[in-house]
Amino acid sequence: MKARNVVAVLAMLLTAVPAVAVELSPLETVGKKLFFDPSLSNPPGQSCASCHDPATGWTAPDAEVNANGAVMHGVIHTRYGNRKPPTVAYAGFTPIMHQAGDMTGGMGNGGMGGGMGNGMGNGGMGGGMGGGMGNMTPGALVGGLFWDGRAAGWSLGDPLAEQAMGPFLNPLEQANPNAKHVCLSVMRSDAAVEFEQVWGAGSLDCVKDVEGTYERIARSIAAYERSGEVTSFTSKFDTFWKNSQGKMPPVPMINMMNWSRFKNRGLDDMELKGLMIFNTKGKCSTCHMLQPMNGSPFPLFTDFRYHNLGIPKNPLNPFYDMPRQWNAKGASWLDQGLGAFLAKTAGATSGDGSDRDYRSVASDNVGKHRTPTLRNVDRRPAPDFVKAFGHNGFFKSLQEIVHFYNLRDVLPLCDSPNPPKDAMGGATCFPAAEVADNVNTADLGNLGLTPEEGMALIKFMKTLTDL
């Protein structure tokens, strides 16, 4: 993959703003300056927005990268991480990682609500509520950020702020040697004066309070990511949801027998049919839950949980070619997801002292990755812009990933990592799952969707794009 022109990229990132103007608080304004500042990497040149661009739904802005390995290069362009950038929008509602049913964990204090709501029903054909108590199996891991959950929230009580700390010090991303280096860069930045106005005199202390200052930097960025500029709830679906309040039946009860009763609330007929399929035959709402959770005013389209969908390896992932110091296994590396993180939790505790040693359930979570929100899943700067889907970006369109969900267990296995396609552009086989353990066979793989139902489903997901 060729490196892009740095000057052009920085200009794009610094001028990129969401379509809806929002008045930011002083703290959110500081966080925005830090989020878009390319001087905070080592060497300067990569900001948070370099991998989380508003024009693409706060995820990767490079169509060429998305069409291939799907992993963005770091500020040192020969270095790559191992997964595609997830969106940072709506991540502020994520609870602290805990086991479902554990009353000692899960209450975040990073803002925008805490605690974990439960769904109702199973989104069945007859009209069950979208979501699912069955999806909240006691003992299942819930919450945390990054695809593998390692920003668990146990340290700061806020997974989003902990996530903001990670890329600064990752040698494959912004490559700062330590928190002090980040602190000194902020001290030299345009945000320095406002930072101390918001946090107080002496709050930008790069000598005596590096740890505290680094935490305040992360919390500032998290505040911006929680702001109405990033987490806006301005999609066509949100208008439909507002228009549906107080009316019967409620949206999470939409099904094949009652879908027409939801007309004239903001979605057209095909979008409504797609929502009905989303909540019934497609089983989407089992994991991308169709109800507000964790303090959200609208559905977040995630269960905050982890699943192995059986996604194949992305053979173009540049992480396979990284030096042994970062990828000791080379081309044989397997992304074990949440299970790999849990295997390293010996002695871990949360802020209230609760035990967070989850090594005993690590093997049950090998190969699982976080359920992403579907909000802005199709946001793109142009119709021909390529986005990548799945934790490793194996899929290059909503059509491809819906086709996989529908027929994963029906079509034969491929010998090639690049499946041949039929006349309609659909894969005629699928490569084996990257990790064979713990594959979810209950909620996808043999859905029986017709081509028309698949297209309706995709059209509904396009209504989740914010203005």
Side-chain angles (χ1 to χ4, degrees):
M1 290 174 233
K2 62 184 180 183
R4 295 181 296 167
N5 181 283
V6 175
V7 174
V9 172
L10 295 182
M12 176 191 72
L13 293 173
L14 291 172
T15 57
V17 293
V20 177
V22 173
E23 184 175 351
L24 300 177
S25 71
L27 176 59
E28 292 165 352
T29 299
V30 169
K32 179 177 181 177
K33 286 190 172 184
L34 299 175
F35 186 91
F36 285 96
D37 191 342
S39 73
L40 304 186
S41 63
N42 179 47
Q46 187 175 69
S47 70
C48 302
S50 297
C51 295
H52 303 282
D53 191 304
T56 54
W58 305 94
T59 184
D62 192 317
E64 182 181 351
V65 168
N66 293 337
N68 290 281
V71 178
M72 292 291 293
H73 61 70
V75 67
I76 300 172
H77 285 194
T78 56
R79 298 181 184 179
Y80 294 84
N82 53 19
R83 304 183 184 109
K84 70 174 288 288
T87 180
V88 296
Y90 301 96
F93 293 98
T94 305
I96 296 169
M97 183 181 285
H98 63 287
Q99 288 184 297
D102 177 5
M103 300 307 294
T104 68
M107 298 296 288
N109 65 8
M112 284 203 165
M116 185 66 192
N118 281 327
M120 298 177 63
N122 61 8
M125 292 294 289
M129 303 282 281
M133 286 292 289
N135 215 29
M136 293 296 125
T137 307
L141 272 296
V142 182
L145 287 171
F146 291 118
W147 284 106
D148 60 4
R150 66 186 186 277
W154 300 334
S155 174
L156 302 184
D158 180 6
L160 189 57
E162 289 185 14
Q163 185 279 328
M165 287 180 163
F168 282 128
L169 304 185
N170 189 330
L172 304 179
E173 296 185 57
Q174 289 173 289
N176 289 285
N178 49 52
K180 183 174 182 178
H181 193 278
V182 180
C183 179
L184 291 169
S185 296
V186 172
M187 183 177 288
R188 293 188 293 266
S189 76
D190 292 340
V193 173
E194 291 171 87
F195 190 96
E196 289 213 333
Q197 289 174 345
V198 167
W199 289 103
S203 58
L204 189 51
D205 186 339
C206 303
V207 177
K208 296 180 180 179
D209 189 21
V210 173
E211 183 178 342
T213 300
Y214 193 52
E215 177 180 329
R216 289 185 282 274
I217 291 169
R219 290 192 184 278
S220 299
I221 294 171
Y224 173 61
E225 293 172 337
R226 285 189 168 96
S227 76
E229 190 168 287
V230 183
T231 298
S232 64
F233 296 107
T234 56
S235 70
K236 187 176 185 180
F237 170 83
D238 293 314
T239 298
F240 166 79
W241 182 268
K242 285 184 284 189
N243 292 340
S244 298
Q245 296 310 292
K247 298 179 181 180
M248 295 299 291
V251 175
M253 290 188 67
I254 190 170
N255 60 52
M256 64 187 302
M257 294 179 287
N258 68 15
W259 71 271
S260 63
R261 295 176 62 183
F262 294 83
K263 291 185 177 184
N264 302 314
R265 299 186 191 179
L267 299 183
D268 67 28
D269 284 1
M270 190 171 180
E271 291 163 347
L272 273 179
K273 289 179 181 178
L275 172 57
M276 177 269 291
I277 294 163
F278 184 95
N279 199 45
T280 56
K281 186 176 180 181
K283 298 185 180 181
C284 310
S285 62
T286 303
C287 300
H288 299 283
M289 298 176 75
L290 188 59
Q291 46 194 303
M293 297 176 69
N294 214 27
S296 167
F298 300 94
L300 294 170
F301 295 94
T302 177
D303 58 1
F304 302 115
R305 283 191 54 197
Y306 299 79
H307 305 274
N308 182 356
L309 307 180
I311 294 176
K313 294 178 68 169
N314 183 345
L316 300 179
N317 188 339
F319 184 70
Y320 295 126
D321 298 323
M322 287 297 95
R324 290 183 59 84
Q325 67 186 109
W326 297 306
N327 179 14
K329 296 185 177 180
S332 64
W333 174 77
L334 297 177
D335 190 345
Q336 298 186 347
L338 176 63
F341 166 64
L342 298 181
K344 301 174 184 176
T345 56
T349 60
S350 59
D352 63 0
S354 300
D355 182 13
R356 293 290 178 256
D357 184 343
Y358 291 132
R359 288 175 296 169
S360 63
V361 295
S363 62
D364 296 334
N365 289 281
V366 166
K368 294 184 180 182
H369 293 87
R370 183 171 62 91
T371 304
T373 177
L374 293 182
R375 287 181 168 273
N376 292 311
V377 68
D378 193 55
R379 187 180 182 94
R380 62 189 72 222
D384 60 350
F385 182 91
V386 178
K387 292 191 74 170
F389 300 89
H391 67 278
N392 62 8
F394 179 85
F395 303 103
K396 310 304 180 183
S397 69
L398 286 176
Q399 288 87 340
E400 285 188 12
I401 196 165
V402 168
H403 185 64
F404 177 77
Y405 274 48
N406 188 30
L407 297 174
R408 183 198 65 194
D409 300 340
V410 176
L411 298 179
L413 288 177
C414 291
D415 294 329
S416 166
N418 300 303
K421 295 184 178 180
D422 59 26
M424 299 296 292
T428 58
C429 59
F430 292 112
E434 177 176 11
V435 176
D437 298 331
N438 307 312
V439 172
N440 183 339
T441 57
D443 303 314
L444 70 156
N446 186 9
L447 300 177
L449 300 179
T450 66
E452 292 77 16
E453 289 171 332
M455 293 307 297
L457 183 58
I458 290 168
K459 190 170 184 188
F460 165 68
M461 287 190 280
K462 291 177 182 286
T463 72
L464 303 179
T465 299
D466 287 323
L467 298 178

